[in-house]
Amino acid sequence: MRRVTALRVDAARAAGLILAAAWTTAGAATVDIPAGARLQDAIAAAAPGDVLRLAPGDYPGNLVIDKPLTLEGPPGRDARILGERKGRTIWVRAADVTLRRLSIRHSGLSLPDMDAGVFLDKTAARARIADNDILDNSVGVYLWGARDALVENNRIVGNTGLRVNERGNGVTVWNAPGSKVAGNDISEGRDGIFSNNSRENVFSGNVFHHLRYAVHYMYTNDSEVSGNVSRDNDIGYAIMFSRRLTVRDNIAVRSAHQGLMLNATDDSRIQGNVVVDAEKCVFVYNANLNELADNRFQDCGIGVHYTGSEGNRIHGNAFIQNQNQVKYVGTRYLEWSLDGRGNYWSDLSAFDLDGDGIGDTAYRPNGLIDQVIWRAPNARLLLNSPAVTIVRWAQSQFPAILPGGVIDSAPLMAPPVSPAWKHYEALP
């Protein structure tokens, strides 16, 4: 591939014209772009497949890319494309466009107008947005119908001058089948990734911090959320109104509310996740026919709040040192074991006389008094009364009088250790 090097001139407009003359004879080429050149002129003159290699410095933004090109900055990400604080800093309207090692800043701040640092239009199939700093925009990267796009290894930081609800998301995905968001560090926005009305997506290996939701997931089916880390967010992973998902090996630390929320999530596998230090480790609401296996829920106010859900298989999980291991308000009996293997409960008092790793007595996390307190919180004043003590003793001696609830007939004597737990222990 031939390389054409533009003459460095003082006038940005003249630089663009000189480059244009060179490109007309070069065909597909790698072209060195001097700092301050008008990139829109360079894009207009480039041939499909050209690589525009930017020198360190500032470049005017609000670019429209309408042909397959690569815009590539130096390793230090100090080629800065600066928007006009209105509209989209880079608007990609062609397939097979790559943006690499750039600093992309200062989009408009209008959420209704879909302002973004990088906007991938419906025609931007197979775009690759990699190794960039995407800073101080509304939405960082907006996938608006772009199929098979890849957003990887970027640092995406929102506009900290706005209130959280006024900020855009780090990455917004709308109807972008086959697209992947992987290995990014996303902070200071509204949601880390907001996905709506999409399918066959993978969100993997990202780090989310100081956001409302790390992942906000709506109507996105047949997809995967795996190997991500959420820390210091309001909610870690809000998985809602979706089917046939794999949610595995994710970590949520210090979530203000829920580490993991499953709302109207069906036919999915929730496996190997770690949630530590949240108001609720996991909230399961109207979520049906899922498998929750080998997760670790630790040091939360409530380990799992479970309501309105049917047909779930819950086994192999570890519930450790939560103030309330389970909150289930209902009168039905729910068996939380599968094929003779239940869950680990740190407050279990049981023996394992045959040494098979399974407790010899069933575990029941809730009793009649719990039901009363959940329905009438003021009844907490009676918790230390003799009457409550007698009721608890009676239930322990005569389980038949229990009011329904969760039963683990095969509780584990030791907590499973997942790859995500090892990753959590290695976090700084």
Side-chain angles (χ1 to χ4, degrees), residues 60-64 81-91 105-111 113-119 136-139 159:
N62 286 52
L63 305 176
V64 176
I81 300 178
L82 305 178
E84 300 172 357
R85 268 292 181 241
K86 182 178 181 181
R88 301 154 185 175
T89 304
I90 301 178
W91 185 352
R105 311 184 184 205
H106 301 170
S107 77
L109 300 177
S110 173
L111 295 174
D113 292 334
M114 298 188 287
D115 290 347
V118 178
F119 187 88
D136 192 10
N137 300 286
S138 179
V139 174
N159 185 315

Side-chain angles (χ1 to χ4, degrees), residues 317-330:
N317 304 287
F319 296 85
I320 299 176
Q321 297 174 354
N322 303 296
Q323 292 181 26
N324 293 285
Q325 300 280 43
V326 177
K327 180 177 181 179
Y328 169 66
V329 183

Side-chain angles (χ1 to χ4, degrees), residues 147-162:
R147 300 179 63 94
D148 301 314
L150 177 62
V151 180
E152 67 172 352
N153 299 335
N154 303 284
R155 182 168 69 101
I156 303 175
V157 183
N159 185 315
T160 58
L162 300 174

Side-chain angles (χ1 to χ4, degrees), residues 92-231:
V92 179
R93 300 175 64 178
D96 301 305
V97 169
T98 296
L99 305 177
R100 182 168 56 231
R101 298 201 302 261
L102 304 170
S103 181
I104 301 167
R105 311 184 184 205
H106 301 170
S107 77
L109 300 177
S110 173
L111 295 174
D113 292 334
M114 298 188 287
D115 290 347
V118 178
F119 187 88
L120 303 181
D121 217 323
K122 296 175 183 177
T123 50
R126 300 177 300 281
R128 183 177 181 186
I129 314 301
D131 303 307
N132 303 286
D133 282 342
I134 302 174
L135 313 175
D136 192 10
N137 300 286
S138 179
V139 174
V141 182
Y142 205 130
L143 282 67
W144 195 63
R147 300 179 63 94
D148 301 314
L150 177 62
V151 180
E152 67 172 352
N153 299 335
N154 303 284
R155 182 168 69 101
I156 303 175
V157 183
N159 185 315
T160 58
L162 300 174
R163 294 177 295 180
V164 171
N165 285 343
E166 296 173 332
R167 301 175 190 174
N169 306 307
V171 178
T172 295
V173 178
W174 177 82
N175 191 24
S179 293
K180 298 181 180 180
V181 182
N184 303 281
D185 187 297
I186 302 177
S187 64
E188 304 293 355
R190 178 187 288 184
D191 299 335
I193 300 174
F194 175 64
S195 181
N196 188 23
N197 191 34
S198 194
R199 58 186 171 84
E200 298 169 9
N201 298 124
V202 175
F203 304 151
S204 182
N206 303 285
V207 175
F208 305 99
H209 50 105
H210 302 98
L211 301 156
R212 187 183 66 164
Y213 299 170
V215 175
H216 189 179
Y217 210 81
M218 304 274 288
Y219 304 104
T220 301
N221 300 325
D222 302 296
S223 295
E224 177 180 317
V225 179
S226 62
N228 302 286
V229 175
S230 164
R231 54 180 175 83

Side-chain angles (χ1 to χ4, degrees), residues 266-397:
D266 299 331
D267 299 303
S268 297
R269 185 168 181 83
I270 317 300
Q271 183 176 22
N273 303 285
V274 171
V275 180
V276 178
D277 189 8
E279 179 184 354
K280 299 177 183 178
C281 281
V282 57
F283 182 34
V284 182
Y285 175 71
N286 193 28
N288 307 299
L289 303 175
N290 303 293
E291 185 162 12
L292 283 77
D294 307 322
N295 304 286
R296 189 176 184 119
F297 304 125
Q298 179 170 328
D299 295 329
C300 296
I302 296 174
V304 54
H305 185 177
Y306 190 91
T307 184
S309 302
E310 302 286 345
N312 296 300
R313 303 172 302 284
I314 301 176
H315 60 96
N317 304 287
F319 296 85
I320 299 176
Q321 297 174 354
N322 303 296
Q323 292 181 26
N324 293 285
Q325 300 280 43
V326 177
K327 180 177 181 179
Y328 169 66
V329 183
T331 58
R332 298 182 60 186
Y333 287 95
L334 303 179
E335 175 60 55
W336 283 10
S337 66
L338 182 68
D339 298 330
R341 183 172 183 261
N343 306 274
Y344 174 80
W345 309 90
S346 61
D347 57 339
L348 171 68
S349 296
F351 295 101
D352 178 18
L353 296 179
D354 59 3
D356 64 353
I358 304 297
D360 295 335
T361 56
Y363 176 83
R364 293 176 171 84
N366 303 136
L368 177 61
I369 299 304
D370 298 308
Q371 298 274 354
V372 170
I373 291 172
W374 292 332
R375 290 178 167 87
N378 290 336
R380 290 181 179 275
L381 297 173
L382 303 174
L383 280 177
N384 295 321
S385 69
V388 168
T389 301
I390 291 171
V391 170
R392 290 192 188 279
W393 175 84
Q395 289 179 145
S396 67
Q397 300 301 311

